[in-house]
Amino acid sequence: GSNTCTEVLRPSSCVFNRLSSEDRAILDEVLSRPIDYMDDESFHRSVTGRQLFGDGVARNWSAEVWSNSSEARKAAVDVSAVIGQTLNREQERHLFLRFNYTRFRTAKLLARFAGKRLTAVAVRELLWWHDQTHATRSAIVAANMPLVLAMAKRTRLGNIDYAELISEGNMALLRSADKFDCSRGFKFSTYACRAILKSFSRVAMRASRYRGRFPTEFDPMLEKSNYAELLREEHEADCVDELRGIIRKNSASLSEVEVKVIQARFALGRVECEGPKTLEQVGMLIGVTKERVRQIQNRALDKLRDKLQEDFLAA
């Protein structure tokens, strides 16, 4: 069955503004699309809601106990017992009945308010059934997730990204849960396997079309030229050589301590294997604090900068 009514009106601004931003988004989403569900004769009996959700189902959206927090409402959804377990036929049927009953109740509620404005009670009920739908669907998918992994491992598709295969399989699993009719007596895995295999085939076809358009594998030799990078490295090497020449000739009038600090800090000494030293290491070398080393370094850099600028202007 399905609900195709799109004429349900938003609640009054007074009611709507009391909702959290997340609940407003959920409400807009529910009102913007048709609600599909797999009908069952039991859904039309008044006792089904209590059988599937307990005696207090109608109190869950009453003003006294209903929370405006979607997290609080979801915490009250008890489907944890089936997550991570292999479902037997009865557990699976129960979950799918719950899943489709929540969508059935949502569709009937929207049909009742066709052309009308939702009341506060109707909004609370709508959001509560939405949370039940989402939680039950998540439980179904979580219980059957190993099926996707197992099929992906057994499927021999060359040059197909494994993560993409899993992603497509999970999407197929979600679509299968929406369309599965448990009243026919089949296991969900039987129905979902075909959908998952079809999704794998679509991945393979996309990859084949891509290889047809781009037959060449990645080749670093076809990458853009590194001329600019090599030019920059060459320029940096020239600058370092010029700086070493200034220090060697002491044409910037550096003191003996300043020369030691610059050579140690920037590895400009004669021993090429020695790397740059920290302020603290240089301080220990010449017997001063690291703050004093910083001051000496800055003064020396100013002198070197002035000398480089002078040489540049002279050239």
Side-chain angles (χ1 to χ4, degrees), residues 234-304:
E234 183 180 348
H235 177 68
E236 289 178 354
D238 290 341
C239 290
V240 171
D241 289 340
E242 184 178 358
L243 196 56
R244 281 200 174 103
I246 292 173
I247 294 174
R248 187 175 62 253
K249 298 175 184 177
N250 199 15
S251 53
S253 302
L254 299 179
S255 67
E256 185 178 348
V257 174
E258 289 172 343
V259 170
K260 286 183 179 179
V261 168
I262 292 298
Q263 287 180 335
R265 281 287 288 142
F266 303 104
L268 296 175
R270 295 181 180 179
V271 184
E272 297 294 338
C273 62
E274 290 186 359
K277 289 182 170 56
T278 65
L279 291 171
E280 187 173 0
Q281 289 172 332
V282 176
M284 294 175 62
L285 183 66
I286 64 175
V288 297
T289 64
K290 65 178 183 180
E291 181 56 36
R292 181 56 182 158
V293 173
R294 191 196 311 277
Q295 295 171 1
I296 297 171
Q297 170 190 288
N298 292 341
R299 187 171 64 244
L301 288 176
D302 288 339
K303 292 180 180 180
L304 291 170

Side-chain angles (χ1 to χ4, degrees), residues 7-257:
E7 301 177 355
V8 178
L9 303 178
R10 266 187 179 186
S12 65
S13 57
C14 179
V15 173
F16 190 76
N17 291 336
R18 289 205 303 267
L19 299 175
S20 66
S21 58
E22 183 181 356
D23 284 343
R24 293 176 192 175
I26 291 173
L27 186 61
D28 286 339
E29 179 190 355
V30 172
L31 295 180
S32 66
R33 57 180 174 80
I35 306 297
D36 295 320
Y37 60 92
M38 295 298 160
D39 201 1
D40 189 89
E41 60 178 4
S42 65
F43 294 169
H44 303 273
R45 296 197 291 265
S46 59
V47 297
T48 301
R50 292 194 300 274
Q51 290 173 344
L52 294 175
F53 294 94
D55 293 334
V57 60
R59 293 197 302 271
N60 284 297
W61 56 81
S62 67
E64 290 76 16
V65 300
W66 188 81
S67 171
N68 193 27
S69 166
S70 60
E71 291 302 321
R73 297 197 307 272
K74 289 172 185 175
V77 180
D78 185 17
V79 292
S80 58
V82 298
I83 295 179
Q85 297 184 12
T86 301
L87 303 178
N88 59 38
R89 191 177 295 273
E90 188 58 35
Q91 288 175 320
E92 188 174 273
R93 174 176 169 76
H94 180 74
L95 267 183
F96 273 100
L97 284 175
R98 282 176 62 118
F99 178 50
N100 284 295
Y101 184 75
T102 59
R103 297 191 291 172
F104 166 79
R105 289 294 298 265
T106 301
K108 292 304 178 185
L109 181 61
L110 292 175
R112 193 166 80 241
F113 280 87
K116 303 175 185 178
R117 191 174 295 279
L118 287 170
T119 64
V121 174
V123 169
R124 292 196 292 269
E125 182 178 354
L126 202 60
L127 292 174
W128 191 85
W129 284 119
H130 174 274
D131 291 340
Q132 294 290 334
T133 301
H134 179 80
T136 310
R137 186 183 192 229
S138 297
I140 292 170
V141 171
N144 288 276
M145 197 77 75
L147 180 65
V148 177
L149 298 175
M151 293 182 67
K153 289 179 180 178
R154 287 200 301 266
T155 303
R156 304 295 181 183
L157 295 175
N159 299 324
I160 303 297
D161 183 57
Y162 184 71
E164 184 178 2
L165 211 60
I166 295 297
S167 177
E168 287 292 334
N170 289 341
M171 292 302 298
L173 188 64
L174 286 168
R175 290 191 294 268
S176 299
D178 289 339
K179 298 178 180 179
F180 180 65
D181 186 359
C182 64
S183 64
R184 297 189 178 186
F186 298 105
K187 284 279 288 180
F188 175 62
S189 57
T190 305
Y191 176 80
C193 276
R194 295 187 63 183
I196 294 169
L197 285 175
K198 284 184 179 180
S199 72
F200 289 170
S201 297
R202 287 194 294 269
V203 173
M205 290 175 62
R206 283 203 305 268
S208 178
R209 286 196 298 268
Y210 180 85
R211 285 195 297 271
R213 294 175 182 175
F214 306 99
T216 305
E217 295 294 330
F218 172 74
D219 187 352
M221 297 300 294
L222 298 179
E223 288 291 278
K224 64 181 181 180
S225 171
N226 61 345
Y227 173 76
E229 184 178 349
L230 292 176
L231 195 63
R232 179 178 57 79
E233 292 177 356
E234 183 180 348
H235 177 68
E236 289 178 354
D238 290 341
C239 290
V240 171
D241 289 340
E242 184 178 358
L243 196 56
R244 281 200 174 103
I246 292 173
I247 294 174
R248 187 175 62 253
K249 298 175 184 177
N250 199 15
S251 53
S253 302
L254 299 179
S255 67
E256 185 178 348
V257 174

